[in-house]
Amino acid sequence: MSADIIDGKAFAATIRAKVAAHVARLKVDYEITPGLAVILVGEDPASQVYVRNKGKQTLEVGMNSYEHKLPADTSQEKLLALIADLNADPAVHGILCQLPVPDHIDEATVINAIAPEKDVDGFHISNVGLLATGQKAMVPCTPLGCLMMLRERHGDLSGLEAVVVGRSNIVGKPMAQLLLRDSCTVTIAHSRTRDIQEVCKRADILVAAVGRPEMITGDWVKPGATVIDVGINRIPAPEKGEGKMRLVGDVDFDSASKVAGAITPVPGGVGPMTIAVLLANTLTACCRANDLPEPEGLTA
Ligand code: NDP
């Protein structure tokens, strides 16, 4: 048996197309254009690539993009002043501060300075609480993207056994909350979990968000399960030449895809969904700010 491959690149394109169509309607019907502000402090090369891609895709779906690139020695006070300005700016519906921030800036202070209704990353403490209590929240992009893929695959998730490996604030915990909200029976596994292989083997839905290359092999997977691999790990690829690297997930794709019913590849699975969902969240924030109906199928 060979698993169906869940094509995140294609699915992300359908999300972006839905967002673009809704943005076009907002412009015609209400003369409103959603706006996303992205702040980057410092010159981390990976962060620069992410921010460039976010800006490009924001413009492609017809939204306004506001990029604020600040030098690495920017004071926390100055960063907080910029966030306060963006919070007050009615043209800005979503604000994202690219993480990590330099060491002299306190990450939690920055995240919690963003107005919760503009917190399109869903990391603000209010949004964490709203999600945990089943209220209307801004939901972190990567787990929301995983949820969308799971709903597309299964329709109703109710009653399914879900295991999330990883308990980070940005992936594992919100993923578990979302699955619980969709009435799965949810287990969160982590580095201290006993008999983790047996725990994973119970899962109809197995989400791996660990950061350990190819840790989860086929003999951890229940036959027919849906496996969502969030991991992005760079490992040496001597077959490509000296010093070359390649990307792998937290799941050993070759063995797991022989057992699973469906699986996301790395690259091309969860990765492309994250920015698409960021755009969806910005659209949702804009609709909420203007008391307009939220886009269907793009929220939790
Ligand atoms: P963190 O490092 O914050 O969390 C990793 C989690 O995995 C922790 O809860 C840790 O447990 C658990 N863990 C570590 N080792 C083991 C082990 N041997 N057995 C079981 N559990 C283990 O990572 P993130 O959640 O931020 O990211 C996870 C992965 O997802 C990374 O590869 C990251 O690059 C990727 N990622 C991809 C995104 C995307 O596709 N857009 C977005 C965000 C992340 P404990 O708490 O006990 O230490």
Side-chain angles (χ1 to χ4, degrees):
M1 193 176 80
S2 187
D4 295 336
I5 309 298
I6 300 175
D7 184 345
K9 219 170 150 185
F11 195 44
T14 67
I15 303 283
R16 286 197 303 274
K18 275 190 200 170
V19 171
H22 203 103
V23 168
R25 280 201 300 278
L26 285 183
K27 284 185 190 179
V28 172
D29 294 350
Y30 304 100
E31 294 180 1
I32 293 170
T33 303
L36 172 64
V38 176
I39 306 168
L40 173 63
V41 187
E43 269 125 44
D44 177 66
S47 294
Q48 283 181 329
V49 174
Y50 292 140
V51 168
R52 207 169 34 243
N53 284 338
K54 284 170 186 168
K56 188 169 158 271
Q57 293 190 29
T58 304
L59 295 174
E60 279 169 5
V61 295
M63 295 183 184
N64 290 328
S65 167
Y66 309 99
E67 278 182 25
H68 296 269
K69 293 186 178 163
L70 307 178
D73 62 357
T74 300
S75 68
Q76 177 165 308
E77 202 185 0
K78 202 164 171 199
L79 176 57
L80 294 178
L82 170 61
I83 291 173
D85 285 348
L86 296 172
N87 283 342
D89 185 345
V92 172
H93 304 96
I95 304 170
L96 176 156
C97 183
Q98 184 67 44
L99 301 176
V101 285
D103 288 346
H104 66 280
I105 294 173
D106 181 56
E107 195 173 284
T109 303
V110 170
I111 290 170
N112 292 323
I114 296 171
E117 63 278 12
K118 295 191 179 189
D119 166 40
V120 281
D121 254 342
F123 296 159
H124 190 289
I125 192 75
S126 295
N127 282 315
V128 176
L130 290 168
L131 176 62
T133 50
Q135 300 180 68
K136 198 183 265 191
M138 294 307 303
V139 177
C141 302
T142 301
L144 181 51
C146 297
L147 182 76
M148 287 177 181
M149 292 198 283
L150 287 165
R151 284 178 175 169
E152 176 79 6
R153 169 85 190 165
H154 288 270
D156 184 9
L157 304 182
S158 174
L160 294 177
E161 190 90 35
V163 175
V164 179
V165 190
R167 56 174 161 176
S168 72
N169 290 333
I170 62 167
V171 190
K173 283 184 202 152
M175 184 76 251
Q177 294 288 0
L178 287 170
L179 291 165
L180 191 58
R181 215 158 131 150
D182 270 24
S183 298
C184 292
T185 302
V186 183
T187 303
I188 306 178
H190 46 77
S191 66
R192 306 294 178 92
T193 299
R194 286 191 208 144
D195 300 326
I196 191 165
Q197 179 175 346
E198 289 312 309
V199 171
C200 290
K201 236 179 154 164
R202 291 204 306 257
D204 302 308
I205 291 171
L206 180 59
V207 181
V210 188
R212 304 218 175 255
E214 300 174 324
M215 181 182 93
I216 294 174
T217 47
D219 49 356
W220 294 40
V221 176
K222 176 177 173 178
T226 300
V227 178
I228 304 288
D229 189 356
V230 183
I232 301 177
N233 308 289
R234 226 167 263 282
I235 61 165
E239 71 282 3
K240 286 179 159 186
E242 208 187 306
K244 296 280 184 198
M245 308 289 277
R246 68 186 174 99
L247 288 185
V248 297
D250 293 336
V251 176
D252 175 41
F253 184 85
D254 287 346
S255 61
S257 62
K258 291 189 176 77
V259 186
I263 187 166
T264 59
V266 177
V270 175
M273 290 294 289
T274 299
I275 298 182
V277 176
L278 172 70
L279 303 175
N281 275 354
T282 305
L283 173 60
T284 299
C286 175
C287 292
R288 288 179 185 170
N290 290 284
D291 282 329
L292 295 171
E294 292 179 18
E296 264 177 50
L298 297 177
T299 55

